[in-house]
Amino acid sequence: PQGVRTEGAIAGAPLVLRILAECPVSKARACDMTLPHCTVNTPVFMPVGTQGTMKGVTAEQLENLGCQICLGNTYHLGMRPGPELIEKAKGLHGFMNWRRSLLTDSGGFQMVSLVELSQVTEEGVKFRSPYDNKEILLSPEQSIAIQNSLGSDIMMQLDDVVSSTVTGPRVEEAMRRSIRWLDRCIAANRNPESQNLFAIIQGGLNSELRHICLEEMTKRDVPGFAIGGLSGGEEKDDFWKMVTLSTDHLPREKPRYLMGVGYAVDLVVCVALGCDMFDCVFPTRTARFGSALVPWGSLQLKHKQYAKDFQPIDPECTCPTCRRHSRAYLHALLKCDTAALHHITIHNISYQLSLMQSVRQSIIDGCFPQFVRAFMDRMFPSREQYPRWAVDALASVGITLN
Amino acid sequence: MKLELRGLAPGTRLGVLAGLGRSGTRAMEVPGCLLYTHCGSVPHLTHDTLDALGRLPAVTQLPLATVAEHQEVLEAFREGAAKLAGLHDTVLFCSLQDPAAPCPAGYNTSKSVSLWSAAGRIELTVPKYVAMQAAVRPDWYQSLADGDAQPAGSSLKRVRRSVERTLTHLDECVLLHQKTAELVGAELFGVVEGADVREERVRSARETAKRPVGGFVLDGFQSGVMDQALRAQLIAAVTAELPRDKPRLVLGVGRPDQVLSCVEGGVDLFEGFFPFVATERGCALCFRFAMEPDPESAVQEQNGVTEDGGSSRTEDPEHQDLQQMTRFEMNLNDRRYRDDLRPLVVGCGCYCCRNHSRAYLHHLLVTKELLAGVLLMLHNVSHYSSFFSSVREALATDRLETLKSVVLGV
């Protein structure tokens, strides 16, 4: 009943999705997604290894944590060290020595969020390299060319990214341009047999625009869809409504990737709303500030209260950090060596991956709604503190939190 | 603890320090280097990555300076620093200062020695020091010592004072050691001082040898502080005064050529900080230590092409401080490695060399990624550890001179 693990490309079908179970109450599903490098069990959280490294964690450690797919960033890697070198090193897999699956984003989001004075035209995004001040144009063709060199299992289209807090005609312009850029990306893909190109649904917080985008993009023959333009500071109430609207209109038999979502509550709710894949820098970034994620929130290990706390971060966690080290030791080590950051990064990745595994198993076992209730109960001290938006979102798919 | 030396040529020390640890079952080959840690962790490495190194030195070094600010925690924990750090199966040596950090001089008094920790200067009298060691619960520890008299510019009076104070501290340590429950079974090492004054060195050694210590720590010979020729002379003079059957550890000497010189002078143990300082400058150790000549690389060298692209300098300045790159390393920050897809050192079996390229390390350094430190540390500790195996092999087969030429690349 579990998906078969296959290494190596399947000719003509670089992505095969097998739906193992669907929650009879909500829109949650558990699937096996077979990609050229390996099969990925969903729902899945994908850690972000921006520059071809998962921060202080080695590829072997990441593999041992059970990670099947992680992210690399086209913008960063396209700048340094550049696609030519990576291609010479046998793709991003060869360069960072990761043998399981990789997803690369298009660079669109970074350019808009990281680069000053980027200018979007129909051609692409014009910006100045922060490294040598040269003017660069990132077009759909260029983004795909770089991603082809990186050799990722899943590539993202270049989309016209607009912040979710922006309103007015710019939102529609960006949505329509994203559709045109999708077509250009599809045309530019050198490796349709070994690399999967995902579309990204845009439209901001406007249902009408989202509808149009969904209708148009689902006409294209792409192996998967991402829900973009969210997770950027908008109200959670608007956020979940756009997510559920999108999954309502995306094909059942293709994976749904919700970009930039990573807090535990958001992950669980959005699985209920029908999403399969997630990514977020939060768990790995917050680790480097000494913050450890636990089922009941987070521990700020730099705080004095942990100086003499000799328990592990989570007594029930089986990650390498919790099996060997105490909060007190990590608190002390945080003052003196970077190894402390690596310990916490490993724990946080393990936390996220274990959470998704539990979610998946509960869907397969047919008890996802009970899982959600237990999860919320553990995470919040009382019912009154359950976030309103999460209660509403879950209720909308038949999961009541009584 | 028992030092079993092989009966080789006189002046050659090669053997095993057996009966180590509270269980008395661990053993360490000498000459050897200790596993250097900050607060009980090898810098940059978690236990899993440390495991990738394979056989580790049996003795781990914990500089007190890297754990001193946590005395209260250790006292609340009540099971010692090794346990707190998750080091389950090791012998712990607690030294005083961190060999990789600066130790400004001029703060020691007749009653106290200043320790330089991350939280600043900590002034330690002998009772305070012993209390700290009681909290750490080491298997070995050095006595409190006044290492302030730096050779350059120290008056004879100051040098004599440091020798006197160190002996006084030792005597007080011995007494307190015997009264401290947590230190039962721990070995106390006496510290030999004397700066660059031969007379004082000999006096310090003789006097220290009279005390009931388990071994000897040689201070004031640090790499940045004394030149090779003088160090060699003085170390020989010191070890001549020390009992054969007790181990001798020299502080602050890590460069391979200086290690070899100290081995010749009768030193058994070294602090393992050299791999760390190389890592911090983005450098990978690449010096040769294989005594069997590799025909291919011999030809390449003759043709002026060095396999590793390492420094073309044939000498390092004598008084080199820790920040400066030595001829024993390659600097991965250098643009020349940008598209070099070879491993750091061809033929090295460490995790980094088996899995990654120079180009990848260069990329990690350019992008200031944390993984650079992890991978470099793995390589550097592995390389250095293999070097020490080679030292022991050379002593066993009477080929130390050959090894010296190989290491120096002459």
Side-chain angles (χ1 to χ4, degrees), chain B residues 236-292:
Chain B
V238 164
T239 57
E241 305 294 331
L242 300 177
R244 243 182 78 82
D245 62 348
K246 290 183 180 173
R248 304 92 175 253
L249 183 150
V250 69
L251 295 176
V253 172
R255 261 177 49 179
D257 54 339
Q258 295 175 355
V259 166
L260 288 169
S261 166
C262 288
V263 165
E264 285 184 303
V267 173
D268 304 315
L269 296 168
F270 298 82
E271 296 183 298
F273 66 100
F274 190 67
F276 170 66
V277 298
T279 297
E280 294 306 279
R281 1 175 216 268
C283 292
L285 300 183
C286 60
F287 62 96
R288 293 187 200 289
F289 50 76
M291 288 176 293
E292 267 67 39

Side-chain angles (χ1 to χ4, degrees), chain B residues 19-88:
Chain B
L20 302 181
R22 304 310 175 101
S23 66
T25 57
R26 304 297 317 271
M28 167 121 190
E29 289 183 286
V30 295
C33 91
L34 309 186
L35 186 65
Y36 171 74
T37 69
H38 287 162
C39 198
S41 277
V42 176
H44 302 294
L45 303 185
T46 62
H47 195 82
D48 299 321
T49 43
L50 189 62
D51 259 353
L53 284 171
R55 238 186 40 174
L56 295 169
V59 182
T60 300
Q61 175 188 8
L62 173 63
L64 189 65
T66 68
V67 81
E69 61 191 292
H70 307 296
Q71 183 177 358
E72 265 187 46
V73 179
L74 286 166
E75 281 165 354
F77 183 63
R78 296 155 66 93
E79 291 184 81
K83 204 104 194 266
L84 181 64
L87 299 166
H88 297 317

Side-chain angles (χ1 to χ4, degrees), chain B residues 384-395:
Chain B
Y384 200 61
S385 195
S386 300
F387 161 62
F388 273 88
S389 292
S390 206
V391 171
R392 293 188 290 270
E393 167 75 25
L395 288 169

Side-chain angles (χ1 to χ4, degrees), chain A residues 386-400:
Chain A
Y386 289 3
R388 165 100 260 144
W389 75 269
V391 175
D392 292 344
L394 291 166
S396 81
V397 288
I399 300 182
T400 50

Side-chain angles (χ1 to χ4, degrees), chain A residues 21-26 28 358-375 399:
Chain A
E22 288 170 286
C23 175
V25 175
S26 68
S358 305
V359 164
R360 172 185 161 90
Q361 196 55 47
S362 74
I363 298 169
I364 290 171
D365 293 342
C367 55
F368 178 63
Q370 292 95 295
F371 175 88
V372 175
R373 285 185 204 110
F375 167 83
I399 300 182

Side-chain angles (χ1 to χ4, degrees), chain B residues 112-284:
Chain B
S112 73
V113 167
S114 281
L115 185 66
W116 295 90
S117 82
R121 185 171 74 91
I122 303 177
E123 211 168 287
L124 295 171
T125 57
V126 174
K128 270 197 82 179
Y129 180 71
V130 175
M132 246 186 219
Q133 291 290 0
V136 168
R137 300 194 193 201
D139 295 293
W140 306 346
Y141 69 107
Q142 67 166 85
S143 172
L144 192 65
D146 178 3
D148 249 11
Q150 307 275 296
S154 281
S155 67
L156 182 57
K157 202 161 130 189
R158 181 65 187 92
V159 176
R160 284 210 179 112
R161 246 187 4 226
S162 85
V163 171
E164 285 303 330
R165 284 176 182 177
T166 300
L167 288 166
T168 308
H169 295 328
L170 175 56
D171 288 334
E172 211 186 329
C173 259
V174 167
L175 284 175
L176 287 173
H177 175 106
Q178 287 159 358
K179 293 188 204 157
T180 308
E182 296 88 341
L183 294 173
V184 167
E187 296 283 357
L188 174 61
F189 279 48
V191 184
V192 176
E193 297 287 350
D196 58 352
V197 180
R198 191 192 174 95
E199 229 172 61
E200 288 303 300
R201 280 285 175 192
V202 168
R203 182 167 80 95
S204 179
R206 276 192 192 144
E207 287 301 314
T208 309
K210 291 178 186 167
R211 274 70 173 173
V213 294
F216 301 91
V217 166
L218 278 47
D219 192 14
F221 291 112
Q222 283 77 357
S223 284
V225 149
M226 189 180 283
D227 68 44
Q228 184 103 313
L230 183 59
R231 180 187 301 112
Q233 276 178 43
L234 293 177
I235 288 205
V238 164
T239 57
E241 305 294 331
L242 300 177
R244 243 182 78 82
D245 62 348
K246 290 183 180 173
R248 304 92 175 253
L249 183 150
V250 69
L251 295 176
V253 172
R255 261 177 49 179
D257 54 339
Q258 295 175 355
V259 166
L260 288 169
S261 166
C262 288
V263 165
E264 285 184 303
V267 173
D268 304 315
L269 296 168
F270 298 82
E271 296 183 298
F273 66 100
F274 190 67
F276 170 66
V277 298
T279 297
E280 294 306 279
R281 1 175 216 268
C283 292

Side-chain angles (χ1 to χ4, degrees), chain A residues 13-25:
Chain A
L15 188 153
V16 174
L17 190 76
R18 238 177 82 182
I19 302 176
L20 303 179
E22 288 170 286
C23 175
V25 175

